[in-house]
Amino acid sequence: MTENQNILEANSLTMSFGGLTAVANLSFCLRKGELVGLIGPNGAGKTTVFNMLTGVYAPTEGSILLNQGDKKQAISGLPPYKITQKGIARTFQNIRLFNKLSVLDNVRIAFHFSRSYSMFHSFFLTPLFWREEKKITADATELLALLRLEERKNDLAKNLSYGEMRRLEIARALATHPQILLLDEPAAGMNPQETEELSELINLIREKFSLTILLIEHDMSLVMKLCEKIMVLDYGMMIASGTPEEICHSKRVIEAYLGEEV
Amino acid sequence: MGLFVQQIVNGLALGSIYALIALGYTMVYGIIRLINFAHGDIYMIGAFVGYFALTTFNLPFGVSLVLAMLIPAILGMLIERVAYRPLRKSPSIAVLITAIGVSLLIENLAILWFSPDPRPFPQIFPNMPLDFFGIKISIPQIIVFLTSVALMIALNFLVQKTKIGKAMRAVSQDKEAASLMGIDTDRIISLTFAIGSALAGAAGVMVGVIYPRIQPLMGVMPGLKAFVSAVLGGIGSIPGAMLGGLIMGLTESLVTALISSTWRDAIAFGLLIVILLVKPSGILGKSTREKV
Amino acid sequence: MAQQTKKNSTYDGYIALASALLLLILNLILVSGKMPAYYSGILGFMGINIILAVSLNLINGIAGQFSLGHAGFMAIGAYVSALISIYLQWPFIVALLCGGLAAAFIGILIGLPTLRLKGDYLAIATLGLGEIIRVVILNLDITKGARGLTGIPRTTTIFWVEAIAIITVIVTINLMRSTHGRALLSIREDEIAAEAMGINTTYYKVFAFATGAFFAGIAGGLFAHIMGYIAPKNFDFMRSIEILVIVVLGGLGSITGSIVATIVLTVLPEALRGFAQYRMVLYSAMLIMMMLFRPQGLLGTRELKVSDVFKFFSGGGERDD
């Protein structure tokens, strides 16, 4: 597979809820290894795009194609768990951790399909069960160490700080072995120092797991610094896309953010 | 055809009783998201208050009906204050179990005090069928239907037109915002229990008027079915509860007449499941989508 | 089991305790030859209730699917196994298994459409389905309707009950600590996030429902063969409520909690027998009190460990939930 190949193609995606069109006729491609930012004012339809890509919503119209090696397959309309298994993982804007479970268990859950054994082994605690459980725990601990959460692995997820919760969301998503990672406002609620650390972390995991990343973020400095390409949504439509440089100077983008007067 | 229309008449009388009970379920659920299992037993208490008022104290029907609404109303407020309010922040299943406990307590106290044997409810109205073009409608049926409709109109006025009603609607939308607007939410919740229980109490007397046998466990099945009616109509919706109650009453009397009375309960619950699968928010309920 | 990690050792504590509790009961049974039938009867019901409570806990507490129709599955197991014993005279254990499988099958059939519903709606749908099962049994000829089914061989011994109770507890606990158990827990915590982790939530919800139904069916079979006589009223809505009360009182998700609560709630009404007519009044009053003062149940979601018991007796009580 060449570096420049499209790993994901979205073709004229439309999502309507009753009479409201949240996303209209949206098309874009993600190249393998790219880090793309998705920005836009509140209510522009960014999270709806994520929800379509991950199968939470089936698009009203349009298709999503996932390109793996030489086979191209449509994933639009598949249930979310199948899409995750095909290699698209996400974090949630309004953090959705398994609150009453330990940090370690949160990550171990995400190894569910990649390292599984049949029910038989769990009912009878066969040697395979112990072996696999040991590996899952080791892998989960390694991921937690990478995201600087190792110390807190036995705490309940609900007792983490805000920044830790966001990092645990990322750890959990990585545990599903994704090729494409969708990050929904990972820096929301973080202070400048935490944001700085986060951007290093994103670069680190991108390298380490050779990920393609699509990032929704309101912190412009973070987006401008990290992303190679930026897409701008407004009222469910793509109003601009290009390099950070181009986006900064786009008249339409400035209008969308600051109003027509400027 | 005559049989069919006759069953519709019977169904409307039964349905208006279900509707009265369902209103209490729907109002309480709408305001604190609790399936108040004790509600069916409040209805039973209403029937017994009416019974004692009419027999032991020989009071006129109107006064008995008022008493049979007043005492359950006080009981409803008491239950809310003692058993549900301390659990306002607990998981809903804990409150549900408490409600089941309250229900069992009322039933068993009633068995203790009133004896488990059925009692005949006094016949105040002559059970004389009036003939309307071959359809027989008894005077008790007319009384029950008219009283229920009057109570529902009164409730609708209260909820839609008065300040208290506005406060009730506000609390059921958003408890926190309502209390920020200066509404005493605890008082409104208490009042909701009072109104719901008063309607159930009235339903207790109504059922005594048409089916003149009352006993301490009489509230269990009608309570469940009234709750099903509330879900059917769209839980939290007052017109929904009325509609759901009527549908339940009509279905039951038609099934009883056309199929068999032993299948009646299965059909009632089957109807519920079909509605839940097709439109979980009920006929008049608004559907909500979880935000991801 | 030499390979187990440090983390796993915490589980062993409560497995040991659970088995110890059950072994204690088993020991009592060894002397039950000389025990009055009254006590052995209570022990039998206790074991059946443990199976019911643990299996409902799998659905309600672990997978977080609020079911109010457990008595319906118990009824299917009871009737299927009883009919097999009466008409086909198959061996007892085969009849029991068929009852359990029939209940599991109905569980899958019911679960597939209804488990799309959530929370209170699911509770009401399962309540309705439980009632439908009862009404169907009431109306069939083969089940003899409201008169009930008589002449069921009374083959259930306390040994059978306790052995199956132990198997149920161990299988459930083993399941809980595995990746499959974690999948169920994740559904309880957040279904949308669980899907996003690659977990087929529909499959696991139906699996929990079917497994719970299977054990409830087995419990029903044991019940039928202990009583010798069953009728639809044995499996009404109140029966489902009784089981739910045990589970909530013990703590949703806590298996040892279910066992402790079963013992308390089976013994309590018996202990109150002396108060005759006040018995049920006291029982319901105590139920309200317990919920008011400890709404998370006796144990919350945690499990009782052997070390807790030692800690308790050495004076250092802890209450962290």
Side-chain angles (χ1 to χ4, degrees):
Chain A
M1 193 196 287
T2 59
E3 271 304 294
N4 280 338
Q5 197 185 353
N6 287 339
I7 187 164
L8 184 108
E9 293 171 21
N11 301 317
S12 29
L13 290 180
T14 299
M15 185 74 228
S16 344
F17 302 106
L20 180 92
T21 303
V23 171
N25 202 21
L26 179 75
S27 301
F28 64 90
C29 295
L30 293 181
R31 286 173 191 284
K32 191 165 166 43
E34 225 173 15
L35 205 170
V36 178
L38 182 60
I39 64 170
N42 283 326
K46 306 182 295 290
T47 297
T48 306
V49 173
F50 270 27
N51 284 337
M52 283 190 283
L53 294 179
T54 53
V56 175
Y57 302 151
T60 320
E61 272 169 60
S63 66
I64 302 163
L65 299 173
L66 186 66
N67 217 346
Q68 283 170 315
D70 35 70
K71 71 174 201 283
K72 216 182 230 188
Q73 49 181 333
I75 58 164
S76 32
L78 288 182
Y81 78 93
K82 279 201 176 143
I83 293 182
T84 307
Q85 294 184 358
K86 286 186 189 302
I88 302 183
R90 74 177 292 180
T91 66
F92 293 93
Q93 178 188 357
N94 47 347
I95 303 174
R96 281 178 172 271
L97 292 170
F98 306 122
N99 279 325
K100 278 184 267 162
L101 302 181
S102 72
V103 168
L104 183 66
D105 274 343
N106 266 270
V107 180
R108 293 205 296 178
I109 284 166
F111 282 104
H112 178 73
F113 70 91
S114 60
R115 273 195 185 282
S116 206
Y117 42 85
S118 72
M119 295 280 185
F120 173 83
H121 297 285
S122 30
F123 282 143
F124 298 102
L125 305 187
T126 61
L128 179 82
F129 165 86
W130 295 107
R131 219 164 39 234
E132 285 297 307
E133 278 295 303
K134 209 172 166 185
K135 273 193 222 152
I136 291 172
T137 306
D139 289 353
T141 311
E142 197 184 317
L143 265 177
L144 286 174
L146 185 72
L147 285 136
R148 292 180 288 109
L149 286 166
E150 205 186 358
E151 314 256 287
R152 311 221 51 175
K153 71 176 183 185
N154 292 322
D155 293 325
L156 295 187
K158 66 174 178 192
N159 295 334
L160 295 181
S161 76
Y162 211 69
E164 287 171 329
M165 285 186 180
R166 295 239 176 251
R167 292 209 300 277
L168 180 54
E169 280 248 342
I170 297 176
R172 211 174 53 166
L174 290 174
T176 66
H177 299 296
Q179 292 170 293
I180 303 176
L181 179 62
L182 311 179
L183 299 173
D184 200 343
E185 298 196 23
M190 285 186 175
N191 63 35
Q193 195 213 330
E194 283 175 316
T195 309
E196 178 60 34
E197 285 168 8
L198 178 77
S199 80
E200 282 165 27
L201 194 68
I202 291 175
N203 274 325
L204 177 77
I205 58 171
R206 180 189 179 193
E207 286 296 313
K208 192 171 160 74
F209 301 100
S210 47
L211 291 171
T212 307
I213 296 178
L214 182 60
L215 171 83
I216 294 179
E217 189 48 70
H218 279 296
D219 186 326
M220 278 311 144
S221 63
L222 182 72
V223 176
M224 293 299 164
K225 199 171 84 187
L226 274 177
C227 302
E228 281 123 43
K229 196 173 102 186
I230 294 174
M231 303 189 289
V232 190
L233 279 190
D234 193 20
Y235 293 108
M237 277 178 288
M238 174 115 65
I239 56 170
S241 78
T243 62
E245 192 82 329
E246 288 163 1
I247 295 299
C248 266
H249 298 107
S250 158
K251 196 159 170 279
R252 288 214 48 196
V253 176
I254 296 167
E255 271 173 13
Y257 268 89
L258 302 173
E260 312 246 330
E261 262 70 40
V262 182
Chain B
M1 189 60 205
L3 177 76
F4 185 75
V5 180
Q6 184 64 56
Q7 288 309 322
I8 286 186
V9 170
N10 296 345
L12 281 178
L14 178 63
S16 58
I17 293 174
Y18 283 144
L20 280 181
I21 312 175
L23 283 167
Y25 275 112
T26 225
M27 286 163 64
V28 165
Y29 190 92
I31 212 155
I32 57 171
R33 302 281 175 275
L34 163 71
I35 304 175
N36 181 13
F37 264 98
H39 194 62
D41 303 300
I42 300 235
Y43 147 87
M44 174 270 292
I45 294 291
F48 272 91
V49 171
Y51 169 83
F52 287 116
L54 288 167
T55 55
T56 315
F57 298 99
N58 248 323
L59 296 170
F61 180 74
V63 179
S64 306
L65 180 62
V66 170
L67 275 179
M69 292 175 72
L70 201 64
I71 293 174
I74 295 168
L75 182 63
M77 285 164 75
L78 188 73
I79 292 170
E80 189 275 328
R81 182 65 193 85
V82 174
Y84 303 156
R85 196 178 297 177
L87 292 170
R88 191 100 0 114
K89 291 195 172 66
S90 300
S92 63
I93 192 160
V95 200
L96 185 77
I97 298 286
T98 313
I100 291 168
V102 172
S103 163
L104 287 175
L105 185 64
I106 298 177
E107 283 163 19
N108 287 297
L109 283 175
I111 290 176
L112 204 61
W113 291 335
F114 308 147
S115 99
D117 308 318
R119 296 163 186 245
F121 200 85
Q123 288 304 90
I124 318 114
F125 304 102
N127 197 359
M128 185 182 61
L130 303 178
D131 206 308
F132 293 93
F133 310 103
I135 312 300
K136 291 193 182 63
I137 307 179
S138 71
I139 293 178
Q141 280 180 331
I142 297 174
I143 302 274
V144 164
F145 189 73
L146 291 183
T147 314
S148 308
V149 170
L151 286 171
M152 285 187 245
I153 291 172
L155 175 72
N156 215 40
F157 176 80
L158 180 85
V159 173
Q160 295 300 330
K161 302 280 189 238
T162 64
K163 218 173 151 183
I164 290 170
K166 201 183 266 181
M168 285 169 67
R169 281 181 287 146
V171 175
S172 72
Q173 290 260 324
D174 189 332
K175 223 176 292 162
E176 235 153 78
S179 78
L180 288 176
M181 295 297 115
I183 295 170
D184 182 351
T185 51
D186 279 338
R187 212 185 109 235
I188 295 297
I189 292 170
S190 199
L191 209 63
T192 308
F193 271 86
I195 295 169
S197 305
L199 293 174
V205 176
M206 296 296 116
V207 90
V209 170
I210 347 183
Y211 306 102
R213 253 162 63 96
I214 60 169
Q215 46 99 359
L217 296 180
M218 64 184 275
V220 179
M221 254 306 162
L224 273 182
K225 285 180 190 163
F227 179 71
V228 167
S229 311
V231 176
L232 204 66
I235 194 139
S237 152
I238 287 175
M242 299 178 190
L243 183 67
L246 289 178
I247 295 177
M248 183 63 86
L250 286 172
T251 319
E252 284 209 342
S253 69
L254 286 175
V255 169
T256 309
L258 303 177
I259 306 171
S260 123
S261 66
T262 45
W263 281 104
R264 193 182 60 194
D265 296 349
I267 301 292
F269 288 109
L271 190 70
L272 165 82
I273 287 159
V274 170
I275 285 281
L276 283 180
L277 293 179
V278 176
K279 193 169 183 293
S281 50
I283 300 170
L284 297 182
K286 278 193 215 89
S287 61
T288 48
R289 181 185 270 277
E290 191 179 0
K291 200 164 162 27
V292 179
Chain C
M1 313 216 163
Q3 313 174 29
Q4 67 199 55
T5 59
K6 197 179 165 197
K7 170 84 189 158
N8 285 327
S9 66
T10 58
Y11 289 108
D12 293 347
Y14 69 77
I15 294 185
L17 186 74
S19 336
L21 277 172
L22 289 163
L23 278 173
L24 186 76
I25 298 168
L26 261 181
N27 279 326
L28 284 171
I29 295 152
L30 287 179
V31 292
S32 73
K34 300 174 191 112
M35 203 165 32
Y38 170 69
Y39 290 106
S40 59
I42 294 176
L43 284 180
F45 288 123
M46 204 183 270
I48 290 175
N49 281 340
I50 287 177
I51 302 171
L52 288 167
V54 169
S55 60
L56 184 65
N57 206 343
L58 180 69
I59 301 174
N60 273 20
I62 298 173
Q65 305 302 305
F66 199 164
S67 168
L68 279 179
H70 220 48
F73 297 129
M74 189 188 173
I76 293 171
Y79 273 92
V80 169
S81 64
L83 290 171
I84 288 176
S85 292
I86 293 172
Y87 293 107
L88 304 172
Q89 283 109 32
W90 286 358
F92 177 50
I93 187 74
V94 179
L96 274 187
L97 278 175
C98 289
L101 289 174
F105 175 72
I106 300 290
I108 293 170
L109 225 58
I110 287 176
L112 272 175
T114 45
L115 286 168
R116 284 191 291 140
L117 301 168
K118 292 190 178 35
D120 294 340
Y121 286 108
L122 177 63
I124 284 308
T126 48
L127 185 161
L129 288 164
E131 284 296 297
I132 291 174
I133 292 173
R134 191 178 60 86
V135 176
V136 169
I137 292 173
L138 205 54
N139 280 283
L140 290 180
D141 290 329
I142 191 163
T143 56
K144 303 276 195 308
R147 281 172 297 142
L149 204 54
T150 49
I152 307 163
R154 299 176 68 161
T155 25
T156 301
T157 59
I158 296 198
F159 168 78
W160 275 114
V161 175
E162 301 304 336
I164 292 173
I166 291 176
I167 292 171
T168 311
V169 170
I170 290 178
V171 162
T172 311
I173 287 179
N174 285 353
L175 180 73
M176 252 181 95
R177 65 208 291 203
S178 74
T179 186
H180 307 290
R182 284 194 298 267
L184 294 175
L185 287 169
S186 74
I187 294 171
R188 177 188 79 191
E189 293 292 307
D190 189 325
E191 207 174 321
I192 289 175
E195 276 273 326
M197 295 304 115
I199 290 163
N200 184 347
T201 54
T202 312
Y203 171 82
Y204 274 101
K205 284 196 284 185
V206 174
F207 164 76
F209 214 61
T211 312
F214 173 78
F215 284 117
I218 298 268
L222 289 169
F223 177 79
H225 290 81
I226 220 172
M227 302 290 289
Y229 162 79
I230 47 173
K233 67 175 192 306
N234 296 135
F235 310 102
D236 62 1
F237 163 66
M238 267 318 294
R239 194 84 198 63
S240 297
I241 293 291
E242 264 172 50
I243 309 165
L244 179 71
V245 165
I246 293 176
V247 172
V248 174
L249 199 69
L252 278 167
S254 168
I255 302 297
T256 36
S258 287
I259 298 171
V260 173
T262 305
I263 295 171
V264 171
L265 285 184
T266 317
V267 172
L268 188 66
E270 296 302 326
L272 292 174
R273 211 171 262 281
F275 299 90
Q277 74 265 45
Y278 295 100
R279 190 165 76 111
M280 283 311 291
V281 174
L282 287 173
Y283 171 84
S284 40
M286 282 182 191
L287 183 64
I288 299 171
M289 289 299 176
M290 285 202 224
M291 288 328 289
L292 286 179
F293 293 111
R294 203 152 167 81
Q296 72 275 50
L298 292 173
L299 293 184
T301 52
R302 54 198 281 274
E303 296 290 351
L304 201 56
K305 295 173 214 131
V306 174
S307 55
D308 290 345
V309 178
F310 288 129
K311 234 180 264 171
F312 177 77
F313 285 112
S314 58
E318 54 159 350
R319 283 180 63 157
D320 55 341
D321 290 77

